[in-house]
């Protein structure tokens, strides 16, 4: 029997990940990109992880989601970079990318600006002892749960404690009112500083609340400097899997996982220089508006006000199915259809034909980093051209996202300097409007032992953009969340924008593939050009 080549092994993994026949995928992969074969961001990340773990090969995530045929992308896989020695526990370490900004945001606007909450509503008998054993094992495995921050003469630094189990606090009487989950989240948001601001301790906590009918709400409250949305989802996946082992008296893994220093430094060092890459990226984005002002001519605060509000935007399952069908027809992930509809709704509101939408992407270039709890995500500007027929438009957005993903390691401030955009404390640089697809990070429901878990995303009352759309659920009970800065976008205008988003998505998914996007909907009343052009 012939030994399979690395390309053949990678194609077998790809077939498993996207649910295709191993015998027929190679023919399709020779001429079709990953996204037209059924792959999306979540599938690309899983393929990247399995390639690194099982074959020792590194597959480029941005190329996977780009226009090149899948076989060509997989043929470019290279050996996984070697890790570097683990720094000693307690040693002073430099901050990771993003941590400095998170700590600065806390100093400027308070802990609420950088506090996140991801909760699981647990139905069934809860074994508190098993839960505490699980948290201790998670703390032993992940450096991120043992990381503390301190000031130093040259600026903030971090240290990793040798041992520190994540704290578990019990909340009494926090879940009252008509919506007990919202009541708990409000209670946690009001106490963000006490929960994540304890000197000398990691800025995170688990909070357990009792709900009606014997249910519980377990909330992971964490600082942006500790984790990102990917990390929070990873933590919940491991917590539930470990809880199932613990209640069945099976041993828990406590071996230390590679931290961000060991898992990522070699990969980062091997990448091209930042200045040249920033200059090249700037050339691609030149001509796009530097900012989109949704204030509709009203004066902005001199300093961006992080206080925010949110709207839950539910979608009918028929609209979800129509979006899925449109994605299949155009050969793009369903997240691209939602991103395109959001860009089109915002662009019409602002009277623009092109705009930048900041998209959340994972900066996890190796399989080891995929299993690391650390703030590795970035919000990168994606250039959306609102032109052409529906399918052409969707594929253009997909390609723009792939291109931005390949530049995820670039510093946004450096990119702004390359574009000649002057610092402006009144608005987020380059990304006043953002999009994040988190529906595939966690299922709507999960099970562990006799427990069922339903996830709820909290809101600590702060925003990082004028308007931010997040996909929370898609397959089951589709739900989007629109967060907005009321100092810029009033609640009335935010409700109107949410309605325009739904109308745009409906029009986009009902139109034939060659229908010009300009013909889908009339421009909203009051829409006007409010863009600041790039030099």
């Amino acid at each position: 029997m012939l030994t399979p080549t690395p390309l053949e092994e990678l194609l077998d993994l790809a077939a498993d990940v996207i649910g295709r026949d191993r015998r027929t995928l190679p023919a399709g992969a020779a001429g079709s990109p990953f996204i037209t074969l059924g792959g999306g961001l979540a599938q690309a990340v899983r393929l990247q992880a399995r390639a690194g773990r099982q074959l020792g090969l590194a597959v480029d995530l941005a190329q996977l989601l780009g226009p090149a045929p899948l076989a060509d992308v997989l043929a470019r896989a290279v050996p996984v970079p070697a890790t570097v020695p683990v720094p000693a526990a307690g040693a002073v370490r430099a901050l990771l990318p993003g941590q400095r900004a998170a700590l600065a945001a806390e100093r400027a606007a308070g802990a609420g600006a950088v506090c996140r909450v991801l909760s699981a509503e647990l139905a069934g008998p809860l074994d508190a002892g098993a839960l505490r054993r699980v948290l201790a094992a998670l703390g032993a495995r992940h450096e991120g749960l043992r990381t503390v921050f301190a000031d130093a003469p040259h600026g903030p630094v971090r240290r990793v404690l040798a041992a520190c189990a994540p704290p578990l606090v019990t909340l009494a009487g926090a879940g009252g009112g008509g919506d007990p989950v919202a009541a708990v989240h409000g209670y946690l948001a009001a106490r963000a500083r006490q929960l994540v601001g304890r000197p000398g301790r990691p800025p995170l906590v688990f909070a357990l609340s009792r709900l009606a009918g014997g249910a519980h709400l377990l909330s992971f409250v964490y600082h942006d400097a500790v984790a990102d949305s990917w990390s929070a989802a990873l933590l919940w996946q491991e917590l539930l899997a470990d809880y199932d082992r613990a209640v069945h008296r099976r041993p828990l893994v406590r071996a230390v996982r590679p931290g961000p220093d060991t898992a990522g430094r070699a990969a980062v060092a091997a990448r091209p220089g930042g200045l040249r890459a920033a200059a090249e990226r700037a050339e691609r984005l030149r001509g796009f508006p530097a900012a989109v002002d949704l204030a509709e001519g009203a004066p902005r605060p001199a300093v961006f006000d992080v206080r925010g509000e949110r709207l839950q935007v539910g979608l009918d399952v028929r609209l979800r199915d129509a979006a899925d069908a449109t994605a299949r027809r155009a050969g793009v992930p369903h997240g691209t259809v939602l991103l395109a509809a959001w860009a089109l709704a915002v662009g019409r509101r602002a009277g623009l034909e092109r705009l930048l939408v900041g998209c959340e992407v994972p900066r996890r270039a190796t399989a080891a980093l995929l299993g690391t709890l650390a703030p590795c995500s970035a919000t990168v500007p994606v250039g959306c051209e609102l032109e052409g027929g529906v399918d052409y438009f969707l594929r253009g957005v997909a390609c723009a996202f792939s291109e931005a993903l390949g530049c995820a390691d670039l510093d946004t401030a450096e990119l702004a300097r390359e574009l000649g955009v002057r610092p402006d404390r009144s608005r987020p640089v380059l990304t006043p409007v953002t999009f994040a697809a988190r529906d595939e990070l966690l299922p709507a429901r999960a099970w562990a032992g006799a427990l069922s878990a339903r996830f709820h995303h909290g809101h600590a009352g702060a925003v990082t953009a004028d308007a931010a759309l997040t996909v929370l659920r898609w397959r089951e009970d589709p739900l989007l969340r629109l967060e907005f800065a009321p100092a810029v976008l009033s609640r009335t205008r935010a409700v109107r924008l949410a309605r325009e988003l739904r109308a745009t998505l409906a029009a986009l998914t009902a139109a034939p593939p060659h229908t010009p996007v300009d013909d889908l909907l009339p421009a909203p009343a009051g829409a006007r050009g409010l863009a600041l052009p790039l030099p």
Side-chain angles (χ1 to χ4, degrees):
M1 183 176 180
L2 295 176
T3 301
T5 65
L7 176 57
E8 290 170 337
E9 292 181 303
L10 286 168
L11 285 169
D12 282 349
L13 289 183
D16 284 346
V17 165
I18 59 179
R20 297 287 294 263
D21 191 320
R22 293 187 179 194
R23 296 166 297 180
T24 60
L25 180 64
S32 300
F34 184 69
I35 57 175
T36 66
L37 295 169
L41 178 58
Q43 290 83 5
V45 168
R46 285 200 291 272
L47 176 56
Q48 182 192 44
R50 291 185 61 182
R53 187 172 58 249
Q54 296 174 222
L55 304 177
L57 293 173
V59 179
D60 189 280
L61 192 63
Q63 291 185 27
L64 263 182
L65 294 171
L70 174 59
D72 291 353
V73 174
L74 298 182
R76 301 186 195 117
V78 298
V80 171
T83 59
V84 295
V86 180
V92 173
R93 307 186 192 184
L95 297 180
L96 298 170
Q99 288 181 332
R100 190 175 303 278
L103 295 173
E106 180 185 13
R107 288 193 297 272
V114 292
C115 181
R116 307 291 170 229
V117 182
L118 181 56
S119 303
E121 184 178 352
L122 305 174
L126 178 66
D127 185 333
L131 177 58
R132 291 185 184 278
R133 293 196 299 275
V134 166
L135 293 180
L138 288 170
R141 282 207 301 270
H142 289 289
E143 287 185 354
L145 298 178
R146 296 182 274 114
T147 297
V148 299
F149 300 92
D151 290 326
H154 56 281
V157 296
R158 64 189 168 100
R159 290 183 174 87
V160 177
L161 303 178
C164 182
L168 176 65
V169 300
T170 301
L171 306 180
D179 185 342
V181 174
V184 171
H185 286 170
Y187 181 92
L188 294 172
R191 292 158 179 79
R193 181 166 183 79
Q194 297 97 300
L195 294 170
V196 301
R198 299 165 301 154
R201 307 296 293 175
L204 58 92
V205 68
F206 282 87
L208 184 64
S209 311
R210 186 179 294 276
L211 305 179
H216 294 81
L217 188 74
L218 182 61
S219 300
F220 176 42
V221 187
Y222 61 97
H223 194 293
D224 278 343
V226 167
D228 54 15
S229 57
W230 177 278
S231 298
L234 171 69
L235 186 67
W236 272 112
Q237 292 165 3
E238 293 191 11
L239 187 154
L240 294 174
D242 276 6
Y243 182 83
D244 186 69
R245 295 187 190 96
V247 296
H248 289 97
R249 300 296 175 182
R250 295 199 296 269
L252 302 179
V253 176
R254 299 176 63 90
V256 178
R257 289 273 185 86
D261 299 282
T262 58
R265 192 180 300 164
V268 171
R271 291 179 192 151
L275 292 177
R276 178 179 175 184
E280 292 174 353
R281 180 64 176 152
E283 283 305 310
R284 297 285 292 171
L285 297 181
R286 206 171 298 282
F288 281 86
V292 178
D293 196 344
L294 293 174
E296 298 185 1
R300 297 179 66 96
V303 177
F304 181 72
D305 189 344
V306 301
R307 290 175 295 182
E309 298 181 20
R310 67 173 177 173
L311 295 171
Q312 304 282 46
V313 184
L315 297 180
D316 186 277
V317 294
R318 291 172 295 183
L319 185 52
R320 176 204 63 194
D321 293 345
D324 284 339
T326 300
R328 288 192 296 270
R329 184 191 70 202
V332 300
H334 70 266
T336 297
V337 178
L338 295 168
L339 168 58
W342 176 233
L344 197 55
V346 171
R348 286 184 174 280
R349 167 57 49 190
L352 300 173
E353 295 182 352
R354 49 168 41 190
L355 74 158
L356 298 177
V357 178
C359 291
E360 182 182 69
V361 298
R363 286 191 295 197
R364 295 172 183 264
T366 67
L369 272 177
L370 293 171
T372 300
L373 199 153
C376 295
S377 295
T379 298
V380 298
V382 174
C384 297
E385 302 266 8
L386 313 182
E387 63 181 16
V390 168
D391 284 13
Y392 175 89
F393 167 56
L394 293 174
R395 291 171 189 142
V397 171
C399 288
F401 178 84
S402 171
E403 185 178 274
L405 183 61
C407 302
D409 287 320
L410 294 181
D411 180 69
T412 302
E414 176 60 36
L415 181 59
R417 284 192 292 271
E418 286 289 336
L419 287 166
V421 177
R422 295 179 179 177
D424 184 351
R425 298 180 65 198
S426 72
R427 66 181 75 243
V429 60
L430 296 183
T431 56
V433 176
T434 65
F435 174 84
R438 298 177 183 170
D439 55 299
E440 293 186 326
L441 299 181
L442 277 177
R445 298 178 186 272
W447 287 263
L451 285 179
S452 69
R454 179 176 176 81
F455 296 101
H456 300 274
H457 298 257
H459 179 63
V463 292
T464 57
D466 291 350
L469 184 69
T470 303
V471 188
L472 299 179
R473 297 196 299 266
W474 187 248
R475 296 301 166 204
E476 179 185 337
D477 189 20
L479 180 67
L480 314 180
R481 180 176 69 196
L482 175 58
E483 295 180 334
F484 59 97
V488 175
L489 186 67
S490 69
R491 191 169 189 87
T492 298
R493 293 204 303 271
V495 170
R496 189 189 315 147
L497 182 59
R499 289 173 178 162
E500 290 166 1
L501 167 66
R502 275 194 293 221
T504 301
L505 181 61
L508 193 65
T509 57
H514 300 296
T515 303
V517 292
D518 286 343
D519 296 344
L520 291 181
L521 288 169
R528 50 198 254 168
L530 295 167
L532 305 177
L534 290 177

